Amino acid sequence: MENNKPVEMRQVKSQGGKFRWVAVSALLLAIGAIMRLVSPSFAGVSINWIITMYCITILVIHPSVPKAVAIGLVAGAINTITSKSPMPHLNMVSEPIGALTCVLLMGLPFAMKVGGVSLRPAVITFITTFASGFTFITSFKMLMNIPLQIYLYGMLPVVVFTAVANTIIAQVLYYPARKLLGQEEES
Amino acid sequence: MEAVRFEDFSYQYPKTGQGLDRVTLSVPQGSFTVVTGTNGSGKTTLCLAMTGLVPHFFGGAMSGRVMVEGYNTADRAVADTAANVGLVMEDYESQLVALTVFDEVAFALENAAVPAHLIRDRVLAALESVGLAGLEERELSALSGGQKQRLAVASVLVSRPAILVLDEPTSALDPEGAADLYELIARLNREQGITVVVSEHDLARALPHADSVVVMAAGRVALAGPLNEVLTRMLSEQVYDAAVPSLRRLKAALETEQRQFSAWMTAGEAAAEINACLKSTRRLSLSA
Amino acid sequence: MKSLAPLCNLLLMIMVSIWTVLLWDPALLALLLALELGLLAVAGQLGKLAKALFGLFMVAMFFAAIQLPFDVAVATAVASGLKMMVMTVAVLLMLATTRLPSLTAALVRQVRIPYEYAFMFTSALRFMPDFIAESHAVREAQVCRGYVHSKNPLKRIVAYAASVEPMVLRAITRSDTMAMSLELRGFGSVNRTFSQQIAFQTRDYLMVGFLALVTAAVIVCR
């Protein structure tokens, strides 16, 4: 054991990424479900933690489009069985659409930088939340024949406010999460 | 025959560059081995190397080899090595992934495509052997910390591994829970002949059951061998000697000094004299 | 209900939802709702869900009421409130009568959903109780640091996100252990068995036949 001359090492490729995406998605969606149940509303605006969490998940793990849609489906299923909102199974439609929006936006070649700070997580989360919320309330309106005024002045603003709240959360949480997962700075 | 053999095995994690440095070690079949050392000495990495997760899961640089039951871990898939070695990690709660106790234990068998009609009996037997019989329909959230750890043990035992590796199993347990867990592991070692490797910073907890000890320091094996021999050398060579349980230190101190003592009348007198004796034998002192 | 195959229960929920979309007759919707509540009672879940059902009823009433000022016929408003209830109770009914591990096993084997996706769902549910404890810590941190007192809601959201951060980071650390556990236990193998009982029995086929008949009737009646 006193031998101190350096050893010839060979490189081994990591296979740890194979199921990491499943583990990260499951855990972050679990946080989303819990936070959705316990977090307060801010001046009447509540955060949709499930959407925020799958946005962060998709942003940090860069899944393929089918995997992203799968994350959306699982998010929708979790929402369906945990949310107290009426017609929870509409989430099975709205969340996959949100997740699809998110992963497609990630592929766009825009830097979205303002004074050195990348606003990608914020912009993507805003649009994703809007896409998901818009899908939910629009299918709700169509299925239920809701009067247009209620849709425009009662439901649409809620979607926009939620999107704003989600955007702030995602922008704050994305960078520490990505740093911990050890991904390189995007160019 | 050896259950596990490290042959001049070196390994570096990709990011930190830390890991193991020229480890040569053999773990005899049927033995109960305790791996000890300070934080960052390489205990966990040694455990992970026995399962093939090091290097396969993390990647990085390596040389030498680790043989488990005659197979080179570098040439096998992690899941195949897992048929020989079961691992219970320090954060055992994150190791559990199913909703119910039954599903958790059945998980590895289902993945290995064991026919459904054979699964039930094997799951129940594994639960029985860790003392969780009758809890198979329980949800995981209804289990205590200690029960979850036993479940983690059952979930790897169900694959019938010849070797069981536990990484810091008692770090989250109270002394009573730790004693219970070691009783369980010792029973598996004794009755089922399973080779046990436990990484443990608190040697005293594992001592009643262990028969060999490995002391790690800075990624190297500092000492390894039969329990009594290693404990003696830890003290005489001052390798992680602070971890040697106090009674063992007292024994060593008294034996090396061969002192005569005055006729003790009170416990206070005895303690004072013993402590004086311990102080004179280098840095050893009785804290208990 | 508990004795039906999991996929059959799922099918029941889907078909009831489809009927509800098609139907606008308050009497038929009320009948459907009564049937659902009856099934919940048979499953022994009515008492447990009473509070949730009452809350749902209030939301549905409110929802029906706010439509009235917008030239919506009373029957239509009542129907939409009932639709909301019937669909939501359909979900509750399925959840009350189906074990989720069995449902995911059915989705993988009978609907051919990739196992990874089904696993993501059950394992997320598995970890939820663990995070409840951690979310209490978040709340305590909030109180300690006095974030709740800030007037500006934007500032409060930022502060709240920051206090959730340790929970997220810990989850990412845990995901490493979880991924290792999956690797060790042979996750992702091509052939996988399921120990759950999910096969269709005669009563399941009867239920499917019944659902098909009612669906046909609903379409004809429209």
Side-chain angles (χ1 to χ4, degrees):
Chain A
M1 242 151 276
E2 300 312 312
N3 174 11
N4 275 317
K5 66 175 191 267
V7 231
E8 288 248 340
M9 307 273 260
R10 69 171 197 274
Q11 290 297 322
V12 183
K13 216 171 154 252
S14 159
Q15 289 161 16
K18 221 177 354 165
F19 306 123
R20 190 80 193 270
W21 75 275
V22 177
V24 172
S25 310
L27 289 166
L28 292 185
L29 287 174
I31 292 185
I34 289 301
M35 290 311 296
R36 192 154 190 222
L37 294 176
V38 303
S39 99
S41 63
F42 297 89
V45 179
S46 57
I47 298 154
N48 188 319
W49 283 93
I50 300 236
I51 299 179
T52 314
M53 284 299 163
Y54 73 67
C55 280
I56 293 174
T57 307
I58 290 171
L59 285 164
V60 294
I61 66 178
H62 296 263
S64 63
V65 172
K67 281 179 180 169
V69 174
I71 293 170
L73 269 171
V74 172
I78 293 173
N79 240 339
T80 301
I81 66 164
T82 57
S83 97
K84 294 170 193 135
S85 73
M87 296 180 58
H89 37 351
L90 283 182
N91 287 300
M92 293 298 294
V93 181
S94 63
E95 302 312 13
I97 288 179
L100 180 66
T101 310
C102 185
V103 73
L104 292 179
L105 286 172
M106 273 178 67
L108 295 180
F110 299 122
M112 305 184 203
K113 276 193 177 171
V114 177
V117 179
S118 171
L119 292 177
R120 271 173 71 94
V123 171
I124 292 178
T125 306
F126 183 85
I127 300 174
T128 299
T129 308
F130 188 80
S132 163
F134 180 78
T135 308
F136 191 99
I137 61 164
T138 306
S139 31
F140 193 79
K141 181 198 178 305
M142 292 196 308
L143 292 178
M144 298 291 212
N145 273 350
I146 310 281
L148 189 63
Q149 293 95 320
I150 294 182
Y151 174 79
L152 285 181
Y153 305 115
M155 296 163 96
L156 214 48
V158 175
V159 171
V160 175
F161 285 135
T162 307
V164 171
N166 280 5
T167 298
I168 298 170
I169 302 273
Q171 182 74 20
V172 174
L173 290 179
Y174 167 70
Y175 287 100
R178 196 188 61 172
K179 197 172 159 217
L180 191 63
L181 271 171
Q183 291 182 359
E184 301 81 46
E185 190 61 33
E186 60 198 66
S187 49
Chain B
M1 196 194 143
E2 294 141 327
V4 184
R5 194 169 75 235
F6 285 77
E7 295 173 4
D8 202 25
F9 181 75
S10 295
Y11 169 75
Q12 289 176 346
Y13 286 106
K15 273 176 218 147
T16 60
Q18 288 177 322
L20 296 174
D21 186 10
R22 279 161 284 189
V23 170
T24 295
L25 178 72
S26 86
V27 178
Q29 223 159 38
S31 66
F32 191 126
T33 304
V34 183
V35 180
T36 196
T38 53
N39 276 341
S41 60
K43 296 193 296 288
T44 296
T45 311
L46 194 76
C47 290
L48 294 177
M50 294 184 200
T51 66
L53 285 170
V54 159
H56 290 306
F57 184 83
F58 297 94
M62 64 164 278
S63 71
R65 56 184 194 165
V66 181
M67 305 294 289
V68 171
E69 297 275 300
Y71 297 100
N72 185 345
T73 57
D75 300 338
R76 288 176 102 197
V78 170
D80 293 335
T81 301
N84 301 102
V85 194
L87 172 68
V88 177
M89 286 179 268
E90 182 174 6
D91 180 13
Y92 54 85
E93 293 213 18
S94 303
Q95 190 176 337
L96 305 172
V97 295
L99 283 170
T100 66
V101 169
F102 185 93
D103 291 337
E104 188 65 54
V105 183
F107 187 68
L109 298 183
E110 292 178 333
N111 287 333
V114 172
H117 65 277
L118 299 177
I119 290 180
R120 187 161 185 88
D121 286 346
R122 283 180 66 175
V123 168
L124 296 185
L127 286 172
E128 172 91 50
S129 69
V130 299
L132 291 180
L135 297 185
E136 56 270 15
E137 297 305 321
R138 274 286 169 91
E139 293 204 356
L140 257 65
S141 53
L143 298 183
S144 70
Q147 286 175 323
K148 281 184 186 164
Q149 191 172 31
R150 280 157 185 265
L151 179 59
V153 175
S155 72
V156 299
L157 277 186
V158 78
S159 304
R160 298 176 179 153
I163 306 157
L164 183 61
V165 179
L166 297 100
D167 187 18
E168 292 284 354
T170 64
S171 60
L173 299 178
D174 56 20
E176 209 173 300
D180 286 351
L181 181 76
Y182 273 115
E183 279 297 330
L184 167 69
I185 303 167
R187 195 161 46 74
L188 295 170
N189 174 246
R190 217 169 41 235
E191 291 173 7
Q192 300 189 25
I194 296 174
T195 307
V196 170
V197 178
V198 182
S199 104
E200 174 69 81
H201 68 275
D202 186 355
L203 255 184
R205 289 182 164 180
L207 217 50
H209 309 289
D211 52 36
S212 49
V213 177
V214 176
V215 183
M216 297 295 294
R220 290 183 165 205
V221 173
L223 291 173
L227 174 76
N228 287 322
E229 186 191 312
V230 172
L231 286 180
T232 311
R233 287 180 63 195
M234 284 172 81
L235 292 167
S236 63
E237 296 171 25
Q238 295 185 32
V239 180
Y240 196 46
D241 52 339
V244 177
S246 45
L247 283 174
R248 280 299 187 125
R249 270 188 282 160
L250 175 61
K251 172 177 141 64
L254 294 175
E255 282 171 0
T256 48
E257 291 291 303
Q258 294 183 344
R259 283 233 188 161
Q260 295 291 312
F261 293 96
S262 57
W264 297 332
M265 291 305 195
T266 64
E269 278 176 39
E273 228 178 292
I274 290 169
N275 267 325
C277 165
L278 286 173
K279 267 180 202 134
S280 68
T281 53
R282 288 187 291 214
R283 295 184 290 117
L284 316 171
S285 95
L286 187 61
S287 52
Chain C
M1 294 292 294
K2 268 190 183 150
S3 52
L4 287 178
L7 196 61
C8 198
N9 278 331
L10 182 68
L11 204 61
L12 176 65
M13 182 200 89
I14 293 170
M15 295 322 288
V16 169
S17 299
I18 291 175
W19 303 340
T20 313
V21 170
L22 297 175
L23 293 172
W24 278 99
D25 180 345
L28 282 177
L29 288 166
L31 177 69
L32 212 46
L33 181 61
L35 278 175
E36 284 181 339
L37 294 176
L39 287 172
L40 268 181
V42 171
Q45 299 282 333
L46 201 52
K48 214 164 78 182
L49 290 172
K51 217 177 133 193
L53 288 171
F54 181 74
L56 180 64
F57 176 72
M58 295 309 286
V59 172
M61 292 303 291
F62 171 76
F63 177 70
I66 54 160
Q67 294 184 55
L68 294 175
F70 298 97
D71 283 341
V72 176
V74 177
T76 313
V78 169
S80 66
L82 279 168
K83 276 162 164 286
M84 189 195 259
M85 282 206 75
V86 174
M87 286 205 217
T88 312
V89 175
V91 177
L92 294 176
L93 186 62
M94 191 207 59
L95 292 175
T97 52
T98 316
R99 285 185 68 245
L100 286 170
S102 309
L103 182 61
T104 50
L107 288 175
V108 173
R109 274 180 50 193
Q110 296 166 334
V111 191
R112 301 274 153 199
I113 282 181
Y115 176 64
E116 285 170 354
Y117 304 173
F119 172 81
M120 212 195 299
F121 174 65
T122 52
S123 60
L125 298 180
R126 134 82 186 101
F127 282 103
M128 277 177 60
D130 289 20
F131 289 124
I132 290 177
E134 293 192 31
S135 72
H136 291 323
V138 169
R139 199 180 316 171
E140 275 158 26
Q142 292 278 309
V143 176
C144 289
R145 296 176 203 164
Y147 289 145
V148 275
H149 302 304
S150 173
K151 286 261 162 55
N152 184 339
L154 291 183
K155 271 188 184 157
R156 272 165 56 201
I157 294 180
V158 172
Y160 198 79
S163 65
V164 175
E165 187 187 311
M167 198 165 145
V168 171
L169 297 189
R170 209 179 108 68
I172 291 174
T173 310
R174 294 180 76 169
S175 74
D176 222 3
T177 307
M178 185 177 159
M180 279 190 253
S181 170
L182 294 181
E183 193 97 31
L184 286 167
R185 295 157 86 191
F187 182 79
S189 61
V190 185
N191 297 310
R192 189 182 196 280
T193 45
F194 291 85
S195 45
Q196 281 90 2
Q197 283 303 319
I198 56 165
F200 269 47
Q201 319 265 326
T202 314
R203 52 178 174 264
D204 297 303
Y205 290 112
L206 288 176
M207 178 56 109
V208 171
F210 171 72
L211 291 176
L213 274 177
V214 176
T215 307
V218 167
I219 291 171
V220 171
C221 288
R222 250 169 68 92

